[in-house]
Amino acid sequence: MLGRPPLLAAALALVALLPGCAGRTAPTDALPSLYLPLTTGATNLDTVAARDMISAYRHNNGAAPLAVDPELQRLAETEAAAMAAADRPSNSRTVRSAITRLGYDGAEANLSAGYHTLAEAFSGWRESAPHRAVMLAPEATRMGIATAYAPGSKYKVYWALLVAK
């Protein structure tokens, strides 16, 4: 019984402090880039963090890491912007053809919408067999990844992940 009053006092002190915390959020600069919301147009996708996260996932699954390729990056940016302008995801077959026309082999693409952070996109792709297959494409050595913000869209953020050899 002797331990109860100090414990009760400590609990009451914590409860008294809680209202001061209500409504406060961590500043976005304190968040790792994979958790930054891309739904404002003020935040850009961290391609290095995306590459590192996908490469680590590939490593854990026996695949080689990926390098960000400037041409694939430009194509990913163009594709994400086109999807945002059309307010719908594109056909990955068309994008794979464009990658192949640029001279790459083994072209694959994850085209999606609605993920608001890099962490959400990665988790969603990892849980989807077709998207996971793109991230783990065994022949892939290069990648490009981009987002486009569409404020009037129900999706808000469009994603393009392109991989190739």
Side-chain angles (χ1 to χ4, degrees), residues 91-101 104 106-109 162:
N91 183 319
S92 61
R93 189 176 11 207
T94 305
V95 177
R96 286 192 310 262
S97 295
I99 298 168
T100 301
R101 281 194 304 278
Y104 295 92
E108 297 290 343
L162 314 178

Side-chain angles (χ1 to χ4, degrees), residues 18-133:
L18 286 176
C21 297
R24 291 187 189 172
T25 58
T28 56
D29 60 347
L31 291 173
S33 62
L34 63 146
Y35 297 114
L36 291 176
L38 300 169
T39 54
T40 65
T43 306
N44 294 317
L45 175 65
D46 184 342
T47 56
V48 172
R51 180 208 59 209
D52 291 349
M53 183 185 314
I54 294 167
S55 290
Y57 182 64
R58 289 173 58 82
H59 174 79
N60 290 341
N61 286 276
L66 299 174
V68 175
D69 181 274
E71 279 190 285
L72 289 177
Q73 184 61 34
R74 279 190 295 281
L75 184 57
E77 291 166 2
T78 299
E79 192 55 39
M83 290 187 295
D87 198 16
R88 63 181 167 77
S90 297
N91 183 319
S92 61
R93 189 176 11 207
T94 305
V95 177
R96 286 192 310 262
S97 295
I99 298 168
T100 301
R101 281 194 304 278
L102 287 173
Y104 295 92
D105 293 325
E108 297 290 343
N110 276 347
L111 306 175
S112 56
Y115 299 119
H116 294 173
T117 67
L118 174 56
E120 285 179 14
F122 177 76
S123 292
W125 292 340
R126 195 182 56 216
E127 298 302 317
S128 161
H131 290 95
R132 182 175 53 252

